[in-house]
Amino acid sequence: MQGNAGRVIALVLLAGLVLSGCGREPKPTPDADERLILQPASVDDLPGWARDDPRTALAAFRRSCAPLLRGDQSRAMGPDGRFGTRADWAPACRTASAIDAGNADQVRRFFGDTFAVWRASDEKPDDDLFTGYFEPELAGSRVKSPAYPVTLYKRPPDLVDVDLGAFREALKGERIAGRVKDGKLVPYDDRAAIDGGALVAKADPLLFLADPIDAFFLHIQGSGLVVLPDGTRTRVGYDGANGHLYYAVGRWLIAEGEVPKEKMSLQAIRDWMTAHPDRRQELINRNPSYVFFRQLTGEGPVGAQGVALTAGRSLAIDRRHLPLGAPMWIDVAYPTDTGSELRRLMITQDTGGAIRGPVRADVFWGSGKPAEALAGPMAAKGRYWLLLPKGLDPRKDG
């Protein structure tokens, strides 16, 4: 889920994980017609504020504070300086570490007293969208065999990531990836080439997976729990990508008339792949983006901010527009066991391949099948309010 790239198309194309997933870095420069609009509001404007139990949100925020309190405190929060510096956020982090994390009312007062509320919108409300993602569990082995034929590659030693902003101020924030050939940076192998064996002698395998369909969705999600033959679990996470643009295969299935757009979902893609094994690779190759993995230890999965994600409280956003580590109140027309709307405090801790736009986000639902059941069908309209330390004014016109 780091790093994470399909911009605005019909809602039905985005159902489930057709366009979501957090394995790739989005193009960091906003489109010319994208603009995040923030207007002052208050906690009284937040629907369901008093009914949410924010204790797990506090735990997530404390995790985000760890990197915010380290390093250069003059470093800007977010893409353009409008959200202050780390030093502006440090007092909120220090206060968060001192309050009683078990007292929901005290936690709620902390967020209400420490942060100012800003209503977020943009100039294209028709594309406002909230999807979901999860950490899959899949069968794998440390040894390749007929039962485990699919290679999960480590990052190749010749993969080069380039921060273009280091060369041109106008390109600040933009990144590309490739390999050096004859003294020139050239595009890296695409998915079709890699699945065809292009890396057999160039990159080391990390693990071997049982199911190519599971492997494909692991690339979309960016991290997962691999269950080994002896029953032990090992977590793998994103460790770079080949630099090719992410393409949502659900778009192709709809365009070809293979899946009706009103029935598009993660499960619909799985079902099509299962029913068409002779065409499965054709579909997979439609997405040239390819992700490399590393083994993770400790808590996880780890998001783009470098902290472990919290189920139901971590949010993937487009960091061309928003800072990582910020509290955000969401109001999404998505039914859960708590009601017909999803109304809760979230923390922006991740980015995603399809998370593009000022009002576009991906809810992390956790690991395994229960999380998949929540994430898979999620493609809902919604809105959000950004919480910023009091005293900050993020409006560019002041």
Side-chain angles (χ1 to χ4, degrees):
M1 298 164 234
Q2 16 260 38
N4 319 281
R7 182 84 234 91
V8 184
I9 55 178
L11 177 65
V12 291
L13 298 185
L14 292 155
L17 292 176
V18 178
L19 278 180
S20 68
C22 295
R24 297 131 307 279
E25 188 73 22
K27 179 184 175 183
T29 305
D31 298 333
D33 59 350
E34 290 182 343
R35 184 169 70 97
L36 174 64
I37 302 168
L38 294 170
Q39 294 297 327
S42 73
V43 293
D44 295 332
D45 298 315
L46 305 181
W49 174 258
R51 294 189 297 275
D52 181 43
D53 184 341
R55 288 177 292 180
T56 51
L58 175 67
F61 181 66
R62 283 175 166 178
R63 286 177 171 173
S64 284
C65 281
L68 295 184
L69 290 172
R70 293 195 300 263
D72 183 4
Q73 292 297 289
S74 66
R75 183 174 173 178
M77 289 284 292
D80 52 17
R82 67 192 295 197
F83 304 108
T85 65
R86 291 185 175 186
D88 295 319
W89 288 72
C93 286
R94 287 192 286 267
T95 302
S97 68
I99 66 172
D100 181 1
N103 187 318
D105 290 334
Q106 185 174 339
V107 173
R108 189 178 298 107
R109 283 195 299 273
F110 158 71
F111 281 108
D113 293 345
T114 306
F115 295 93
V117 179
W118 295 86
R119 171 74 169 93
S121 61
D122 62 14
E123 295 169 326
K124 299 192 297 182
D126 289 344
D127 70 358
D128 297 351
L129 182 70
F130 291 75
T131 50
Y133 68 108
F134 69 104
E135 182 183 44
E137 287 189 5
L138 53 164
S141 171
R142 299 192 187 280
V143 179
K144 190 170 187 176
S145 70
Y148 300 97
V150 185
T151 304
L152 196 66
Y153 279 110
K154 296 180 182 179
R155 181 188 178 95
D158 63 345
L159 179 66
V160 178
D161 288 320
V162 180
D163 177 2
L164 295 177
F167 299 88
R168 298 284 188 277
E169 181 65 26
L171 299 176
K172 186 176 181 180
E174 294 202 35
R175 307 184 71 89
I176 58 173
R179 64 156 54 97
V180 177
K181 181 178 180 180
D182 298 329
K184 297 180 180 179
L185 186 70
V186 298
Y188 210 78
D189 299 305
D190 63 10
R191 175 178 293 278
I194 294 172
D195 283 346
L199 295 187
V200 168
K202 298 177 182 177
D204 293 330
L206 178 64
L207 293 168
F208 301 95
L209 306 180
D211 187 344
I213 300 176
D214 283 348
F216 178 71
F217 283 107
L218 176 62
H219 279 242
I220 294 176
Q221 298 299 332
S223 72
L225 286 171
V226 179
V227 183
L228 301 176
D230 63 0
T232 60
R233 287 171 165 78
T234 183
R235 176 170 279 118
V236 298
Y238 177 94
D239 196 23
N242 63 349
H244 290 262
L245 292 178
Y246 175 79
Y247 176 82
V249 297
R251 295 169 59 186
W252 184 79
L253 289 175
I254 292 172
E256 294 294 309
E258 296 291 332
V259 178
K261 61 183 181 180
E262 64 274 9
K263 294 185 178 181
M264 178 53 66
S265 68
L266 177 152
Q267 192 56 52
I269 299 174
R270 276 189 176 276
D271 290 345
W272 189 93
M273 287 182 169
T274 302
H276 300 83
D278 57 327
R279 301 184 65 192
R280 182 177 60 212
Q281 193 63 45
E282 176 189 4
L283 177 66
I284 288 174
N285 288 347
R286 292 282 167 178
N287 177 21
S289 175
Y290 194 96
V291 173
F292 305 105
F293 292 88
R294 61 188 174 97
Q295 192 162 316
L296 302 177
T297 58
E299 292 184 288
V302 176
Q305 198 190 8
V307 302
L309 302 178
T310 301
R313 295 293 178 175
S314 294
L315 201 66
I317 48 84
D318 185 348
R319 62 176 169 190
R320 300 175 306 160
H321 300 284
L322 293 164
L324 289 171
M328 179 187 289
W329 184 263
I330 66 169
D331 176 22
V332 181
Y334 188 63
T336 66
D337 57 2
T338 60
S340 58
E341 295 89 14
L342 182 62
R343 292 171 170 171
R344 63 177 60 176
L345 190 63
M346 309 286 291
I347 309 298
T348 61
Q349 295 178 316
D350 206 359
T351 59
I355 313 308
R356 304 290 305 283
V359 188
R360 173 75 176 93
D362 216 11
V363 176
F364 175 66
W365 285 109
S367 303
K369 292 296 182 182
E372 181 178 356
L374 287 166
M378 187 175 182
K381 301 292 288 184
R383 53 183 178 161
Y384 73 85
W385 291 258
L386 191 63
L387 276 63
L388 301 175
K390 288 184 176 179
L392 288 181
D393 189 337
R395 294 170 294 186
K396 286 189 173 181
D397 59 4

